[in-house]
Amino acid sequence: MTGWVVFDYGEVICGRTTALPDLAATLGVSPAEFEPHYWRLRDAYDRGSSDLEYWGGVGEALGVPVDESTSDRLTEIDIRGWSDVRESSLELLAGLSEAGVPLALLSNAPSSFARFAERQDWMRHFRVRVFSGDVGVAKPDAEIFELLVARLGVPAGDCVFFDDRQSNVDGARAAGLRAHVWDGADAARALL
């Protein structure tokens, strides 16, 4: 295997968030009321809006005021919900890293999550890390893949990319990366 291997984070390295019930309870609404607004407003958050802007928008949609203290609490719960990493993914990363394969992370994630992730032990495997909240663009836009490839300093075709969303895989392929829908660590290992 030559070239870079690039991984998404959410639902690839970690499982799906477990925080939605706690987030809804913090705002005093049901998970069923809360969840549509959580996802609908997430793209702007992933593209660089602040924690307070995001949670304020969610609160506004639900008719619940959100101040800075509440926003901080919601952000903390949200980060915790996205922090349950999959052992099989960590084993894959460690094996590739030990074999000398250069690894990169490309994640649609707010900057507050990026700062948390940077302090995690598993992050040592990644030589390059791109978080959408830090750069103001997100997958599946071509611009974020171009930015990634420029940071890697290789042609797009020298990058294998794994993501759980078909739209992001399609965006990566359109930008010239060899992209695959994530189907677990074993399937990725077999592809590589």
Side-chain angles (χ1 to χ4, degrees):
M1 153 93 234
T2 58
W4 287 77
V5 181
V6 183
F7 291 89
D8 173 38
Y9 176 75
E11 300 187 52
V12 173
I13 294 171
C14 76
R16 187 173 178 83
T17 181
T18 56
L20 299 181
D22 288 345
L23 292 166
T26 300
L27 291 175
V29 299
S30 74
E33 290 173 281
F34 173 79
E35 187 169 359
H37 304 294
Y38 176 88
W39 294 114
R40 180 177 59 82
L41 299 172
R42 196 75 185 190
D43 186 60
Y45 193 26
D46 286 344
R47 291 172 185 270
S49 70
S50 72
D51 299 334
L52 184 57
E53 287 169 329
Y54 172 66
W55 295 115
V58 171
E60 186 178 328
L62 293 164
V64 178
V66 173
D67 60 14
E68 195 157 342
S69 171
T70 304
S71 171
D72 290 347
R73 194 162 64 252
L74 292 165
T75 300
E76 183 181 315
I77 294 166
D78 192 46
I79 288 171
R80 194 169 55 240
W82 286 107
S83 65
D84 186 19
V85 293
R86 294 175 169 155
E87 194 58 39
S88 59
S89 296
L90 295 184
E91 288 168 6
L92 174 63
L93 294 175
L96 291 170
S97 186
E98 286 166 20
V101 176
L103 303 180
L105 181 73
L106 177 62
S107 179
N108 282 0
S111 294
S112 53
F113 180 82
R115 302 296 77 80
F116 163 82
E118 288 168 346
R119 298 189 305 272
Q120 305 311 301
D121 184 57
W122 53 263
M123 192 59 95
R124 74 185 189 284
H125 299 301
F126 296 104
R127 297 183 194 179
V128 172
R129 306 149 185 176
V130 178
F131 292 97
S132 61
D134 291 340
V135 297
V137 291
K139 299 174 289 182
D141 297 359
E143 189 177 350
I144 199 164
F145 295 108
E146 292 162 3
L147 186 151
L148 169 74
V149 169
R151 287 192 184 176
L152 299 181
V154 298
D158 287 353
C159 304
V160 175
F161 174 63
F162 292 101
D163 197 290
D164 63 301
R165 293 188 180 177
Q166 184 66 54
S167 60
N168 294 340
V169 168
D170 293 343
R173 287 178 179 162
L177 287 78
R178 293 179 286 147
H180 305 277
V181 173
W182 178 256
D183 193 25
D186 290 341
R189 193 177 285 110
L191 266 166
L192 294 169

